[in-house]
Amino acid sequence: MRRPLAKMPPFIRANDITLVFKSKNRDPVTALNNLSFEIERGEFVSIVGPSGCGKSTFLNMLLGLVRPDSGHMQMNGTPIKGPGQERAMVFQEFGLLPWRTVTANVELGLELKGVAAAQRTQRAMELIKLVGLNGFERHYPHELSGGMKQRVGLARALATEPEVLLMDEPFAALDAQTRDLMQAELLQIWERTKKTVLFVTHSIEEAAYLSDRVIVMTARPGRTKQIIDINLPRPRDYEMRLTPEFNEIKSRIWEVLKEELIPGSRR
Amino acid sequence: MNAKDYYTEHRRLVLGVFSVIFLVAAWELLLTYVFPVNPFFFTKPSLIAEAFKEQVQGAKLWHDLAISSRAFLWGFSFAVIVGIPLGLVMGWRRRVEYALDPFLTAMYASPLVALAPLLIIVFGVGVLGKAALVFLLSVFPFVFNVFAGVKSTDALLINVIRSFGGTDKDLYFKVILPSTMPYLIAGARLAIGRGLVGIIVGEFYAASEGIGFAISQAGDTYRLPDMFVGIIILSVIAVVLTEAMRRLELTVAPWRAGEEVR
Ligand SMILES: Nc1ncnc2c1ncn2[C@@H]1O[C@H](COP(=O)(O)OP(=O)(O)OP(=O)(O)O)[C@@H](O)[C@H]1O
Ligand SMILES: [Mg+2]
């Protein structure tokens, strides 16, 4: 997945991003400090890092909801200034509208972009099928399990045909078995749709299993500490997780991450 | 289905009906056999039923109801039209909230019925004066409940809309309004109760017709059964409207149906 031509700009590029949260009566919090990295088209990249190091903040920036104090973010060579069709987020807490059925939730993004009703319903049906929710089109979110809700979140994000899928701990709220299942499905969908995925997780196992590369961030203020290539063959399956190679990669990530987790061990 | 199954399934209804029947029967029997009091000072169900039959057949009751309903509907409609947008804007625009909150909170907390004489002086004893009182009493539950609803809108959902490029208008109509709906309906329930108080107080204080006037006139002339007819009709109206609101909530907020514990 390396660039064929050295001249071509990277697909996504974050350069020296700094963000400070300032609020009255409290000390400012530097969430991100000189964070930089590049991502190629079609890559699956995970971000791991200690809690509070600014991962969600960074995804929200890429989504266009938060502006950095300094630094540049580009996609396809153009600066990211706000939300855009080519980026969509799958939220940890799902973010489904409780008063809408599954279909209407999946249609949301299309509706906001002004796609005609008949067309968006058809598109929603395709995606509901893709994420395996057929038969639940007219259910409301409160009638679904956590895994099903996240499938709706995924279908909604995919519906607008973004080039980049931003995922903020999308499976953290799921039980272990459902998570395994969703990971496998995500990989299949990724392989089929060729999206670029930026995936935040706390699970080293999850990061290693899914990704082409894993970005390990430092404790707050967040920066790129190290980027680890995962050179495991694809398609990957559950059995792969039992191989010594996989475990070796996991421990390499852990070695880098643990320095940030144990207070005082840094510097 | 045998009687026992019917009971388990409709326990709420069966027990409710039995308790009403029991109460009415006890009242009747007590006043007939145990304390046969002077009918000028107290009355009993059989006399009320008789008065009811008479009034329903006459024209005055219907006329009074129409008069009162008209004032109620005018006042209540204006409360809806003014209260909902005001609550929405207050919840969404911090500056509007800060500017209006002290004033509105003071108004909501005060016993506004005390303003009845003033309103009657300004707007007269007709429909207008009563409608003004209904409005004043029922507008605040709308304002404050809608305000609370907007404030409690899930910030995540706002981000979701924004992330798909939604406009402020989308935020209002696709997130804020629907998530405020249950609060709005709870507010409407309160507003109905307060609005009915408004009508009655207005008609007690100064009126020549209307259900409140009929009640107070019956009281003044010691026609207790007629007075109770008015009171019972009012409480039936209140119950019906409140129940209608509950049903409405289940239709406009179906996702809350699953949360309702029965
Ligand atoms: N709106 C805000 N106002 C002030 N500070 C904030 C705000 N949002 C986040 N922060 C701070 O910025 C830092 C980074 O937060 P962020 O949510 O991005 O962390 P995270 O890496 O996603 O953490 P987690 O892994 O626990 O989800 C935290 O220290 C947090 O306290
Ligand atoms: Mg986070």
Side-chain angles (χ1 to χ4, degrees):
Chain A
M1 298 262 176
R2 288 292 165 268
R3 274 173 284 157
L5 292 169
K7 287 266 168 55
M8 236 174 89
F11 183 52
I12 294 172
R13 178 167 175 201
N15 197 2
D16 264 352
I17 301 291
T18 298
L19 181 94
V20 182
F21 283 107
K22 301 173 198 76
S23 41
K24 265 187 222 149
N25 316 324
R26 260 176 294 162
D27 292 337
V29 176
T30 308
L32 296 166
N33 191 17
N34 295 351
L35 174 74
S36 302
F37 58 75
E38 298 178 353
I39 294 171
E40 299 304 329
R41 190 185 286 276
E43 254 191 315
F44 198 123
V45 175
S46 289
I47 302 178
V48 296
S51 184
C53 76
K55 304 180 294 293
S56 300
T57 307
F58 181 66
L59 279 198
N60 281 326
M61 269 184 196
L62 278 176
L63 194 58
L65 295 178
V66 179
R67 304 293 308 271
D69 288 322
S70 68
H72 305 282
M73 275 184 310
Q74 293 187 338
M75 188 178 154
N76 266 334
T78 45
I80 293 174
K81 290 213 176 96
Q85 180 132 23
E86 55 314 321
R87 286 157 282 138
M89 175 94 103
V90 178
F91 297 87
Q92 176 179 350
E93 310 291 348
F94 320 128
L96 305 180
L97 309 188
W99 45 88
R100 285 183 172 227
T101 61
V102 166
T103 311
N105 263 295
V106 174
E107 283 180 28
L108 180 71
L110 300 166
E111 192 181 313
L112 291 170
K113 296 198 159 78
V115 177
Q119 232 175 310
R120 59 180 196 245
T121 308
Q122 199 201 335
R123 177 92 186 116
M125 291 304 163
E126 288 166 27
L127 281 152
I128 287 169
K129 213 156 128 201
L130 181 75
V131 299
L133 278 179
N134 339 29
F136 292 92
E137 290 84 353
R138 304 184 60 181
H139 282 58
Y140 285 92
H142 76 261
E143 300 168 308
L144 305 177
S145 69
M148 291 160 93
K149 284 183 199 165
Q150 199 50 293
R151 282 164 211 263
V152 179
L154 183 59
R156 178 178 67 186
L158 289 169
T160 51
E161 298 189 54
E163 295 170 59
V164 184
L165 216 48
L166 305 169
M167 305 183 82
D168 193 359
E169 304 187 41
F171 306 149
L174 309 181
D175 65 88
Q177 276 95 51
T178 310
R179 195 183 314 145
D180 288 342
L181 204 69
M182 294 290 290
Q183 288 167 353
E185 283 181 24
L186 176 63
L187 276 185
Q188 275 178 22
I189 290 171
W190 173 69
E191 269 151 26
R192 226 178 311 163
T193 57
K194 289 288 153 218
K195 306 277 180 217
T196 307
V197 179
L198 203 57
F199 190 100
V200 168
T201 176
H202 272 118
S203 157
I204 291 174
E205 166 120 11
E206 187 170 65
Y209 176 49
L210 297 174
S211 320
D212 295 317
R213 291 191 293 153
V214 175
I215 298 173
V216 182
M217 282 175 70
T218 63
R220 196 183 67 228
R223 259 178 313 108
T224 309
K225 182 179 172 75
Q226 193 170 326
I227 299 179
I228 297 168
D229 287 297
I230 314 288
N231 292 313
L232 295 167
R234 290 189 191 267
R236 298 176 187 166
D237 55 19
Y238 195 83
E239 275 65 47
M240 191 207 69
R241 297 194 192 192
L242 309 173
T243 63
E245 291 85 349
F246 184 74
N247 283 299
E248 196 259 330
I249 282 178
K250 265 171 59 182
S251 47
R252 260 177 58 207
I253 301 172
W254 170 242
E255 286 303 319
V256 178
L257 182 59
K258 92 175 171 199
E259 296 169 20
E260 297 300 319
L261 298 179
I262 300 162
S265 68
R266 193 149 57 102
R267 270 182 290 257
Chain B
M1 193 200 280
N2 65 34
K4 200 170 164 217
D5 288 343
Y6 184 86
Y7 170 74
T8 8
E9 203 164 306
H10 302 278
R11 204 161 45 165
R12 196 189 170 99
L13 182 72
V14 172
L15 288 179
V17 167
F18 266 110
S19 92
V20 169
I21 292 176
F22 177 79
L23 228 89
V24 170
W27 181 2
E28 179 77 33
L29 293 175
L30 220 63
L31 286 193
T32 312
Y33 299 109
V34 188
F35 314 107
V37 284
N38 185 335
F40 276 117
F41 298 132
F42 212 66
T43 189
K44 52 186 184 178
S46 57
L47 296 177
I48 298 172
E50 227 169 88
F52 184 80
K53 211 174 121 204
E54 211 167 284
Q55 286 206 34
V56 168
Q57 284 163 352
K60 184 163 178 308
L61 173 69
W62 302 109
H63 176 73
D64 282 336
L65 275 176
I67 291 291
S68 300
S69 310
R70 209 159 60 151
F72 180 83
L73 285 177
W74 274 112
F76 197 78
S77 308
F78 271 95
V80 170
I81 293 168
V82 173
I84 294 173
L86 202 60
L88 282 175
V89 177
M90 262 177 80
W92 192 233
R93 297 276 174 226
R94 191 55 49 87
R95 265 183 289 182
V96 180
E97 174 193 344
Y98 290 167
L100 296 183
D101 190 50
F103 167 67
L104 293 178
T105 303
M107 297 272 277
Y108 191 29
S110 341
L112 289 170
V113 281
L115 290 179
L118 177 68
L119 290 176
I120 303 293
I121 291 171
V122 176
F123 294 105
V125 291
V127 171
L128 200 58
K130 290 187 272 180
L133 193 56
V134 171
F135 169 80
L136 199 63
L137 283 168
S138 57
V139 73
F140 294 104
F142 281 111
V143 174
F144 283 101
N145 274 53
V146 169
F147 171 74
V150 174
K151 281 282 175 190
S152 69
T153 304
D154 189 350
L156 174 61
L157 299 185
I158 290 180
N159 273 350
V160 168
I161 298 282
R162 285 248 158 86
S163 77
F164 284 114
T167 59
D168 274 6
K169 194 176 143 225
D170 292 322
L171 282 181
Y172 262 115
F173 287 102
K174 296 190 200 296
V175 174
I176 295 174
L177 210 54
S179 73
T180 301
M181 212 42 115
Y183 290 81
L184 172 62
I185 289 170
R189 250 193 298 204
L190 280 174
I192 286 171
R194 289 172 60 112
L196 289 176
V197 169
I199 271 293
I200 299 309
V201 169
E203 288 175 350
F204 276 6
Y205 180 75
S208 50
E209 48 191 358
I211 191 86
F213 173 73
I215 291 173
S216 84
Q217 204 190 27
D220 287 346
T221 52
Y222 296 95
R223 287 182 288 111
L224 265 61
D226 284 331
M227 196 176 98
F228 269 97
V229 171
I231 293 169
I232 289 166
I233 286 176
L234 269 179
S235 55
V236 168
I237 289 173
V239 168
V240 167
L241 289 178
T242 308
E243 179 65 18
M245 285 299 129
R246 208 180 62 82
R247 295 277 165 89
L248 188 66
E249 172 164 18
L250 295 184
T251 356
V252 299
W255 73 97
R256 299 187 37 123
E259 295 165 15
E260 228 199 9
V261 187
R262 276 298 300 268

